[in-house]
Amino acid sequence: MTERTTGGASEPRGDGPSFFVSYARPPGSPSRDDPSPIGELVQDLNFEIGQHVRQGTRQVRPGVSDREIPIGDNWRRFISHMLAEAHVLIALVSTPYLDSDWCGKEWAVFSRRAVHARPPLSPETSAILPVVWVPVPQDRRHAVVQRLQYTNERMPGSYARDGLLALSRQAGKRDSYHQVVNQLARRVSDLLMYTTVEPGRMVDVETAPSAFHQSKPNWDGVTFLQSKAAG
């Protein structure tokens, strides 16, 4: 693999956020500065994770999305840091998400990081959690997404049928929304307690291949960035 480096290559140091939310913004959607279900989901997950993580677990930093990027910061570098440091990638799957070249790049960059799981988790445990944000027809789901389980018997049937976004917006389905968030938080908590996710090298996401648009991602020519921690 041919690697290009900007300002030297370095691995991030220290524990990263518990999760980073990867999602697509459909055309005409509000900016990230407007109130949105994404911000609500991040807050709800952080609260629930705090209830489930066992005492004695290393300090857990709150999960984030790109809504937390400070004004004036380099948003691409922020996302590069999150993909290299966050413990879990929560992917809000929808048709725009799977069509998005950028979201496919985020998935590909995060998936390069090694995950070491301890019992009771399986050695094949993934640190990517796909969420049914808006249901996608089966024939439109990419293989890398299909191979990961997205629901369990404790989640309501309306989750797979309607998607978490619809549950969050309908007053009569808020209980179902919270059921799903609770199960997602439990899984993130298990990953925090029983896995080690190796830090990644910071990648200029724009130069990375897309996991959704290439059957075998080509990493030749990818640009690695210098971590703030090294600088």
Side-chain angles (χ1 to χ4, degrees), residues 60-107:
V60 176
R61 287 174 54 192
V64 299
S65 72
D66 64 359
R67 289 172 54 84
E68 280 70 43
I69 303 176
I71 294 174
D73 269 20
N74 184 322
W75 64 270
R76 288 173 61 172
R77 181 171 285 272
F78 176 94
I79 291 174
S80 295
H81 264 284
M82 294 303 99
L83 295 174
E85 297 180 350
H87 201 91
V88 177
L89 182 72
I90 295 180
L92 304 188
V93 178
S94 63
T95 295
Y97 187 84
L98 296 178
D99 287 344
S100 167
D101 191 55
W102 182 269
C103 293
K105 291 172 184 286
E106 290 183 343
W107 184 296

Side-chain angles (χ1 to χ4, degrees), residues 4-176:
R4 293 185 292 120
T5 303
T6 300
S10 177
E11 292 185 352
R13 299 179 175 87
D15 287 337
S18 56
F19 62 84
F20 175 66
V21 175
S22 175
Y23 68 101
R25 229 178 256 106
S29 66
S31 74
R32 64 169 165 261
D33 297 322
D34 295 327
S36 81
I38 306 293
E40 179 186 28
L41 177 62
V42 170
Q43 290 182 352
D44 291 343
L45 280 172
N46 281 322
F47 176 80
E48 290 286 342
I49 290 168
Q51 310 307 305
H52 294 299
V53 173
R54 188 178 60 206
Q55 288 189 351
T57 302
R58 73 185 193 290
Q59 182 179 5
V60 176
R61 287 174 54 192
V64 299
S65 72
D66 64 359
R67 289 172 54 84
E68 280 70 43
I69 303 176
I71 294 174
D73 269 20
N74 184 322
W75 64 270
R76 288 173 61 172
R77 181 171 285 272
F78 176 94
I79 291 174
S80 295
H81 264 284
M82 294 303 99
L83 295 174
E85 297 180 350
H87 201 91
V88 177
L89 182 72
I90 295 180
L92 304 188
V93 178
S94 63
T95 295
Y97 187 84
L98 296 178
D99 287 344
S100 167
D101 191 55
W102 182 269
C103 293
K105 291 172 184 286
E106 290 183 343
W107 184 296
V109 170
F110 188 90
S111 65
R112 284 168 56 87
R113 296 170 58 190
V115 179
H116 306 286
R118 302 178 292 278
L121 299 185
S122 161
E124 302 303 315
T125 294
S126 172
I128 298 178
L129 298 186
V131 172
V132 182
W133 192 237
V134 178
V136 178
Q138 183 136 1
D139 61 353
R140 293 293 310 279
R141 300 174 196 165
H142 294 277
V144 293
V145 177
Q146 282 194 7
R147 68 181 177 83
L148 297 179
Q149 183 69 16
Y150 61 87
T151 187
N152 64 29
E153 73 281 359
R154 296 184 181 87
M155 291 180 173
S158 55
Y159 166 56
R161 183 179 64 250
D162 301 331
L164 191 58
L165 177 60
L167 298 185
S168 74
R169 287 175 166 171
Q170 298 177 31
K173 295 187 176 181
R174 293 293 294 179
D175 286 347
S176 295

